[in-house]
Amino acid sequence: MKTGGSQSVAMFAAAAGPFVMAAISGSGNAAALAFNQAITPNAADFGLTIVQLGAVAQIAAGLGRSMSPVAGGVIILAGIAGVNPMEVVKRTAIPAIVALIVVTLLMFAMS
């Protein structure tokens, strides 16, 4: 059954799930792969294509990793700048969240 409600929930889950997992773990690849192996093969059940759901998950995971205080790149950049990694996260959180919303809405509009 293809309904607009389940499509909206699937798109929100594709964006929020990998984003939060990547922000917590510092690994965007692990978050995206976990979601894409578990959920994305069922994209047609939600009225979406595998590309739409998988792309949102991959981009969301990358954005989550970029604002994770435990991501290797953030730690290295904070060390070079001589600041706490949380200071880097404070500056990247709002742009990353805005980018996540824009990407999700654009992908949802394409469906």
Side-chain angles (χ1 to χ4, degrees):
M1 175 189 323
K2 297 178 183 178
T3 63
S6 65
Q7 187 179 42
S8 299
V9 171
M11 192 61 76
F12 175 77
F19 182 82
V20 170
M21 288 188 333
I24 292 170
S25 70
S27 174
N29 290 339
L33 287 173
F35 184 88
N36 283 334
Q37 287 182 349
I39 307 297
T40 302
N42 303 309
D45 296 341
F46 304 115
L48 298 165
T49 66
I50 289 175
V51 172
Q52 287 172 316
L53 204 57
V56 170
Q58 187 67 43
I59 293 168
L63 289 168
R65 178 186 59 199
S66 71
M67 62 167 269
S68 174
V70 295
V74 173
I75 293 170
I76 290 170
L77 290 173
I80 292 169
V83 298
N84 185 322
M86 288 305 293
E87 293 300 318
V88 176
V89 171
K90 287 178 188 177
R91 292 188 180 269
T92 59
I94 292 175
I97 292 168
V98 169
L100 176 69
I101 292 168
V102 169
V103 166
T104 303
L105 291 175
L106 286 174
M107 291 301 282
F108 190 66
M110 293 173 58
S111 62

